[in-house]
Amino acid sequence: MKKTVLTMLKTGIPFFSLSFCFVLGFGLFGTVFFEVIMRVSESHAENPETFEMAFLMSLIAFMGVAFLFAMLYVQRNFETAVGMSRTRRSFFAGSLLCAFTAAVCGCAALYLSALTEQLRLKHWWNAYPCESNYFASLTPTLLALFLFAFTILAQFIGVLFLRFGKAAFWVIWVLWMVGAFTIPRAISDLENERHTVMSHIVLTLREIISWLPAFAWLLISTGFLCVIALISYRMLLRQRVS
């Protein structure tokens, strides 16, 4: 198993580098986009505000790395590894470790992008209030949960792609797009006190979450991710080699 895991780590170095550059590149794009918006707002808006655009773009890219890992790594390496007499158990351990390494690279790029943005906002745009506070909410506990969630979910999505092929891809893509369009709209309706169906759903979810302390939700999330990891393991053990 040790040889298989080390081999998978070595072959995954290009993907780990891609993960870092992908997240950091989106942060750079967010920086440029932010500067364009602020230059326009500064001259036209009455009360311009700053926004952590680079952090948000890097965070979106960080979540997108999970899909890249599933599509570019798990699917392509399973057939090769098992075909070369590697056990499914060793491949599962190796893919989890590779997903964790990719998550660490993505988090490093995310933190670097956010830190650079904070320095820029402090020295260039300190005269304007910031309407977001994402960087301050990135606590060590939340960062550890991100790493754990990314590792489990990226590997789980890869197993789904491996098992169900294009059907799994399109289902996950539709869910992703629905969330990308509905969640920001619901938050906007809630902030503007618009009594829409989505705002009522967000309020209901907020009330449900407030019933339990943060530590309890952390335990529930960890337990859920452990169940997902077990399901991935069982599915991978039953996966056939074409």
Side-chain angles (χ1 to χ4, degrees):
M1 177 181 292
K2 182 179 179 181
K3 184 178 180 180
T4 302
V5 172
L6 291 177
T7 301
M8 293 178 67
L9 283 175
K10 290 180 180 179
T11 56
I13 290 177
F15 180 81
F16 306 147
S17 303
L18 174 65
S19 301
F20 181 87
C21 295
F22 183 69
V23 177
L24 194 61
F26 261 69
L28 179 61
F29 173 78
T31 298
V32 176
F33 189 47
F34 169 84
E35 290 296 329
V36 173
I37 293 177
M38 285 302 299
R39 300 299 177 183
V40 174
S41 300
E42 190 179 20
S43 58
H44 293 84
E46 295 181 358
N47 298 307
E49 293 181 327
T50 60
F51 185 76
E52 293 173 290
M53 182 66 72
F55 179 87
L56 182 62
M57 297 299 294
S58 294
L59 183 61
I60 294 174
F62 177 71
M63 292 185 290
V65 169
F67 291 94
L68 291 176
F69 179 84
M71 291 185 293
L72 300 179
Y73 196 86
V74 176
Q75 274 190 305
R76 294 185 178 183
N77 286 275
F78 176 78
E79 299 283 343
T80 302
V82 178
M84 295 176 62
S85 301
R86 307 296 185 187
T87 64
R88 289 169 171 79
R89 182 178 300 176
S90 62
F91 177 81
F92 179 78
S95 63
L96 277 182
L97 186 56
C98 288
F100 177 76
T101 306
V104 171
C105 293
C107 275
L110 174 64
Y111 188 82
L112 180 61
S113 176
L115 184 61
T116 304
E117 182 175 55
Q118 290 299 313
L119 294 175
R120 191 182 76 254
L121 293 178
K122 181 179 179 181
H123 290 89
W124 291 3
W125 302 100
N126 58 346
Y128 303 104
C130 186
E131 64 180 48
S132 59
N133 197 22
Y134 298 132
F135 185 75
S137 61
L138 195 64
T139 62
T141 301
L142 187 58
L143 188 61
L145 183 60
F146 274 163
L147 288 172
F148 185 49
F150 177 97
T151 302
I152 300 300
L153 293 178
Q155 205 270 346
F156 178 65
I157 293 172
V159 174
L160 289 179
F161 285 169
L162 187 64
R163 182 70 177 272
F164 301 105
K166 293 182 178 180
F169 171 80
W170 287 114
V171 169
I172 294 174
W173 176 256
V174 169
L175 293 175
W176 172 271
M177 295 304 296
V178 169
F181 282 103
T182 57
I183 293 177
R185 176 64 181 275
I187 295 175
S188 177
D189 291 346
L190 188 63
E191 291 177 348
N192 296 321
E193 297 183 353
R194 297 172 182 168
H195 299 288
T196 62
V197 176
M198 293 305 300
S199 63
H200 286 300
I201 293 176
V202 173
L203 284 173
T204 303
L205 290 175
R206 180 184 293 179
E207 291 179 0
I208 294 175
I209 293 174
S210 64
W211 289 345
L212 292 176
F215 181 74
W217 284 112
L218 181 62
L219 291 178
I220 293 174
S221 301
T222 304
F224 174 76
L225 291 173
C226 289
V227 171
I228 293 297
L230 180 60
I231 294 175
S232 301
Y233 178 68
R234 298 298 299 176
M235 290 177 62
L236 198 61
L237 289 181
R238 298 177 181 179
Q239 180 64 32
R240 296 181 179 180
V241 180
S242 59

